Amino acid sequence: MKNKVSIIYVEDDASSAEILTLYLERQGYKVNHFDNAADAKRALANLNFDLAIFDIMLPKGDGIELLQLAVSKQLPSIMVTAKITESDRLLGFDLGADDYVCKPYSPREVVSRVQALLKRTQKTNMVIDTLKFGKLEISPHTKLVTLASKPLKLTALEYALLICLAKRPLQIVSREQLINLVWQGASDITDRTVDTHLANLRKKLADSKKAPIYIATHYGQGYQFIASKTA
């Protein structure tokens, strides 16, 4: 029997937590709910999960610290918060969040985003052979990315973007195409969101925007993976 997808869900509002947990469990997910950051932090450090959902404002800590811990474990993460400005959303993305849902929200919307994020994560495992581009190696089977033999800590979205581009060498992929391929065409994903994630990815690759080795920017057109594949 296939193991259930395990989700860590951190929300201190009991009513919201009860409703969303019910919706998630109806989809067959195993939900581990915590109402404070301290207990959630211990769980993240000692248990394995497939996806995380964090509120930002929490007792005994905050969701930002939990997000950073989740990112260090390469755990796909969704932030759920009352903060609704674009700068807040971009800050969450910059810290490694894969998605961002603003309160008040529909539980069905969150479930849909969970399904989309899990689908993106699972899709990147379809190719097993390691992809090698000089010092950069990508293993879709293990989702391990190394640069000069050193592992890179990529978020699930950064990894999905890297795979999407690396599997289309020399092809200029527009922002619209990336939104369709990586975010399944989500209507609230903007060009600026795409650029933020690509900037974070390029920083981790130690790639220069002016003299890129891996990802080139074509203004008004999109992004291009330019590194040559090696044996």
Side-chain angles (χ1 to χ4, degrees), residues 23-78:
Y23 271 77
L24 291 167
E25 288 179 341
R26 282 179 177 173
Q27 296 300 315
Y29 301 127
K30 179 182 177 183
V31 181
N32 302 264
H33 170 249
F34 298 92
D35 62 5
N36 67 84
D39 289 344
K41 186 176 180 179
R42 282 191 289 270
L44 280 169
N46 295 293
L47 301 174
N48 293 320
F49 300 100
D50 299 297
L51 184 139
I53 303 174
F54 300 129
D55 191 5
I56 289 183
M57 305 300 291
L58 293 165
K60 301 179 183 178
D62 61 60
I64 296 299
E65 185 180 6
L66 296 178
L67 172 63
Q68 292 171 324
L69 180 55
V71 169
S72 73
K73 296 169 69 73
Q74 296 185 303
L75 181 63
S77 303
I78 299 174

Side-chain angles (χ1 to χ4, degrees), residues 182-203:
V182 177
W183 283 271
Q184 280 75 58
S187 60
D188 61 335
I189 300 300
T190 65
D191 287 354
R192 189 176 175 188
T193 300
V194 176
D195 292 342
T196 297
H197 284 292
L198 260 299
N200 292 338
L201 172 60
R202 190 147 39 191
K203 188 184 301 180

Side-chain angles (χ1 to χ4, degrees), residues 213-228:
I213 297 173
Y214 302 108
I215 300 173
T217 301
H218 293 267
Y219 293 100
Q221 298 181 64
Y223 294 93
Q224 180 187 33
F225 193 85
I226 58 174
S228 298

